[in-house]
């Protein structure tokens, strides 16, 4: 069953078309990786999905609910957690304040940070009063994921979660994505450039090339030809 459905999605910047007729179904319980070279529309697609940039035409629904008619905060409230590229934490705010900001989009309007966030990221509990800008890159990424998880989302969207992160934290983030999927049933949609990470974490892949979906399937069906043609720089 599709948890997220995108049909005929088109998007333009000025006079330049960036997405061309995207059809994408993300089934509940899967871990789907969007792949492609830089500038092919991956981040644009995620931002359209979250309502951060407008779609020119097409349809998007989450668990049967129309997304296009809803502002970003309403999309989050449906149960969609979003970790943007570059993390976008608030550097002058403490870890606790960064997490509390995410609480505002909870469906139940709860004010207590879920214990699972600290169970998955114990370092955040130790650093609650430290400013976000004083954390290492890996710790900031953990904070960005933790901020999305305070929603207790059904769908977790991650844009380049391993970018600029030290290898041990990359492995830890992979473990956490797999745990969330297997233990909590969280569906995952991620953009990722690192092939070993994608092969380890994803169950399915889709490749974007010049704003069009050109290939997809189970992750073990990702072929050398696909890699050569669409992913190798």
């Amino acid at each position: 069953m599709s948890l997220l459905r995108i049909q005929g999605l088109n998007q333009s910047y000025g006079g330049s078309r960036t997405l061309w007729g995207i059809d994408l179904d993300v089934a509940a319980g899967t871990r789907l990786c969007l792949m492609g070279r830089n500038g092919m529309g991956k981040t644009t697609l995620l931002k359209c999905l979250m309502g951060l940039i407008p779609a020119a035409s097409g349809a998007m629904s989450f668990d049967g609910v129309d997304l296009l008619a809803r502002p970003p905060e309403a999309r989050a409230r449906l149960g969609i957690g979003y970790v943007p590229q570059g993390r976008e934490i608030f550097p002058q705010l403490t870890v606790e304040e960064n997490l509390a900001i995410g609480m505002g989009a909870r469906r139940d309007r709860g004010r207590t940070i879920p214990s699972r966030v600290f169970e998955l990221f114990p370092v955040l509990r130790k650093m609650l009063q430290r400013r976000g800008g004083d954390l290492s890159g890996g710790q900031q990424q953990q904070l960005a994921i933790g901020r999305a998880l305070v929603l207790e989302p059904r769908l977790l969207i991650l844009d380049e979660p391993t970018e600029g992160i030290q290898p041990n934290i990359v492995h830890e983030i992979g473990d956490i994505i797999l745990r969330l999927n297997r233990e909590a049933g969280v569906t995952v949609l991620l953009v990722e450039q690192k092939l070993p990470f994608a092969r380890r974490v994803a169950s399915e892949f889709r490749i974007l090339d010049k704003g069009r979906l050109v290939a997809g399937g189970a992750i073990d069906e990702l072929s050398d030809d696909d890699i050569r043609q669409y992913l190798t720089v």
Side-chain angles (χ1 to χ4, degrees), residues 17-143:
R17 181 79 69 87
T18 54
L19 297 176
W20 299 76
I22 300 293
D23 292 324
L24 179 68
D25 281 354
V26 181
T30 56
R31 305 178 305 279
L32 192 148
C33 183
L34 272 176
M35 310 175 83
R37 296 185 182 97
N38 287 333
M40 293 300 161
K42 305 182 300 296
T43 293
T44 298
L45 177 55
L46 297 189
K47 286 184 173 181
C48 272
L49 176 54
M50 292 308 301
L52 301 174
I53 56 176
S57 59
M60 289 191 289
S61 62
F62 178 74
D63 200 18
V65 177
D66 177 28
L67 290 179
L68 288 180
R70 286 168 167 76
E73 62 274 14
R75 299 184 196 200
R77 204 161 281 128
L78 289 171
I80 304 175
Y82 175 54
V83 183
Q85 186 177 26
R87 302 182 273 277
E88 295 185 15
I89 63 157
F90 295 94
Q92 299 302 318
L93 300 184
T94 65
V95 166
E96 186 171 23
E97 288 165 339
N98 269 278
L99 293 171
I101 283 171
M103 296 293 294
R106 280 182 62 95
R107 283 159 286 178
D108 63 1
R109 311 286 182 166
R111 296 186 178 181
T112 303
I113 297 166
S115 59
R116 176 175 281 274
V117 172
F118 300 121
E119 177 192 331
L120 293 170
F121 299 115
V123 69
L124 297 183
R125 188 192 296 276
K126 295 176 188 171
M127 297 185 168
L128 274 176
Q129 300 312 314
R130 190 170 296 187
R131 290 194 314 174
D134 294 336
L135 273 56
S136 70
Q139 291 164 347
Q140 288 184 9
Q141 186 63 282
Q142 292 175 325
L143 175 56

